[in-house]
Amino acid sequence: MNPTRPTSPATIIDGIALSATLREEVSRRTLALKARGITPGLAVVLVGNNPASEVYVRNKVKACADSGLHSVLERYDADLTEEALLARIDALNRDPNIHGILVQLPVPAHIDANKVIEAISPAKDVDGFHIASAGALMVGQPGFLPCTPYGCMKMLDSIGFDLRGKHAVVIGRSNIVGKPMAMLLLQRSATVTICHSATQDLKALTLQADVVVAAVGKRNVLTADMVKPGAVVIDVGMNRNLEGKLCGDVDYEGVRQVAGFITPVPGGVGPMTITMLLVNTIESAERCA
Ligand code: NAP
């Protein structure tokens, strides 16, 4: 038996429970804003009828209602022109009742997603995707943090994990998850390695990691033999297994026998992402108060 191998399975970092705690705080802040005559408002724009987007949008609107925020869902047919979408965003930028604007991605192919993101006022960029928000994160200035990496950091904080000097390996380098995740870990003085599809010998890197964040979108990218005993494993991935059930990038059953902490899918990062969207929207409204 490997003497360093934990004798009990990993502690689960429960994203549903942590979200519930954070959403109580969101509700309190919403009430305080309402007492001052401000109802935090989120506009969610959906173009087309991508089934996954429909679910995400529905969950976001419901989360707003549950926490007392005002939300507007604007739905458009898939043939909406880019010009018309940009005009709508311009109107929402100027709407004083709207503190956060979110355009659900992906948008149809004839619309330039970057143009759409850049059209959102950075002051209302509660998804944290605008180039100004990304730049602020890069140089350590205040700005909206992308919700998924922000939620992952809250999960690490919830277990009191001190990142200083620790080795964090982020698998994935997308603009919305991998790269901002790496920046946030770096801000906390972790030593960060970013892996991607061209990384050679991923296992050699993950085996050195005190923290692994998997944000790939492929099942079983991280298996038990790739994890250092006691490491913290954050699973961002959202995939379907062979039975069609939601699963992450991590071989959960195997890895939880080795890791010290692990986030489940479902019930891990997913709920946290929506919670941080609410937090960003509240923060935006508070800046207007
Ligand atoms: P993405 O834009 O497709 O990026 C995936 C990244 O994984 C890319 O950087 C890619 O490398 C890398 N990659 C692909 N195959 C790999 C491999 N075999 N080994 C190492 N790296 C590999 O995806 P994303 O938007 O970041 O999302 C990632 C996953 O998280 C998806 O499953 C998505 O559904 C999920 N997600 C979940 C939430 C949530 O709230 N739970 C939020 C957002 C995303 P290259 O850059 O070299 O192509």
Side-chain angles (χ1 to χ4, degrees):
M1 184 178 155
N2 180 345
T4 57
R5 191 181 170 105
T7 48
S8 56
T11 301
I12 293 166
I13 309 177
D14 182 342
I16 296 174
L18 182 56
S19 279
T21 306
L22 294 173
R23 287 188 198 192
E24 277 172 23
E25 175 68 13
V26 165
S27 299
R28 266 197 298 276
R29 286 165 75 181
T30 302
L31 282 176
L33 279 165
K34 283 181 173 172
R36 298 167 70 182
I38 297 166
T39 301
L42 175 70
V44 180
V45 180
L46 176 63
V47 185
N49 51 5
N50 177 311
S53 295
E54 297 269 2
V55 175
Y56 299 148
V57 159
R58 206 180 317 132
N59 290 343
K60 288 167 187 175
V61 168
K62 182 179 181 305
C64 282
D66 290 348
S67 294
L69 283 79
H70 164 65
S71 70
V72 186
L73 171 56
E74 297 201 1
R75 309 179 61 109
Y76 297 101
D77 291 339
D79 61 359
L80 181 78
T81 64
E82 183 180 281
E83 195 186 4
L85 179 57
L86 295 176
R88 259 326 286 156
I89 292 171
D90 185 47
L92 291 168
N93 281 339
R94 285 182 282 106
D95 185 338
N97 296 318
I98 293 299
H99 304 95
I101 304 169
L102 175 163
V103 178
Q104 186 64 49
L105 300 176
V107 286
H110 66 279
I111 296 176
D112 180 344
N114 287 327
K115 239 186 196 175
V116 170
I117 293 167
E118 299 321 319
I120 297 170
S121 162
K124 298 189 179 186
D125 175 39
V126 288
D127 250 345
F129 294 168
H130 195 285
I131 208 159
S133 305
L137 173 58
M138 182 81 172
V139 297
Q141 294 282 323
F144 289 114
L145 299 178
C147 302
T148 300
Y150 191 7
C152 293
M153 294 305 288
K154 289 283 179 192
M155 294 180 112
L156 289 169
D157 290 344
S158 77
I159 58 167
F161 193 80
D162 181 7
L163 284 156
R164 189 174 182 81
K166 300 291 193 323
H167 188 187
V169 170
V170 180
I171 318 176
R173 57 172 164 181
S174 71
N175 289 337
I176 63 171
V177 189
K179 280 188 214 161
M181 187 73 234
M183 291 311 304
L184 287 169
L185 293 163
L186 184 62
Q187 269 183 7
R188 297 283 188 88
S189 298
T191 300
V192 183
T193 302
I194 306 174
C195 301
H196 44 77
S197 64
T199 296
Q200 292 181 20
D201 203 353
L202 180 65
K203 178 178 171 178
L205 295 163
T206 57
L207 273 174
Q208 296 171 30
D210 303 299
V211 180
V212 182
V213 180
V216 174
K218 288 180 187 162
R219 281 185 294 126
N220 298 332
V221 156
L222 193 74
T223 47
D225 59 315
M226 299 169 75
V227 175
K228 180 161 98 173
V232 181
V233 175
I234 309 274
D235 191 353
V236 178
M238 285 199 303
N239 312 295
R240 296 275 162 195
N241 66 16
L242 296 176
E243 291 90 50
K245 285 196 186 139
L246 190 64
C247 68
D249 291 345
V250 175
D251 168 23
Y252 182 76
E253 286 308 325
V255 170
R256 69 193 282 258
Q257 305 305 325
V258 182
F261 292 87
I262 191 166
T263 67
V265 179
V269 175
M272 291 299 294
T273 296
I274 298 188
T275 298
M276 301 329 289
L277 174 68
L278 301 179
V279 169
N280 278 347
T281 305
I282 293 290
E283 215 161 284
S284 177
E286 285 173 347
R287 287 179 198 168
C288 299

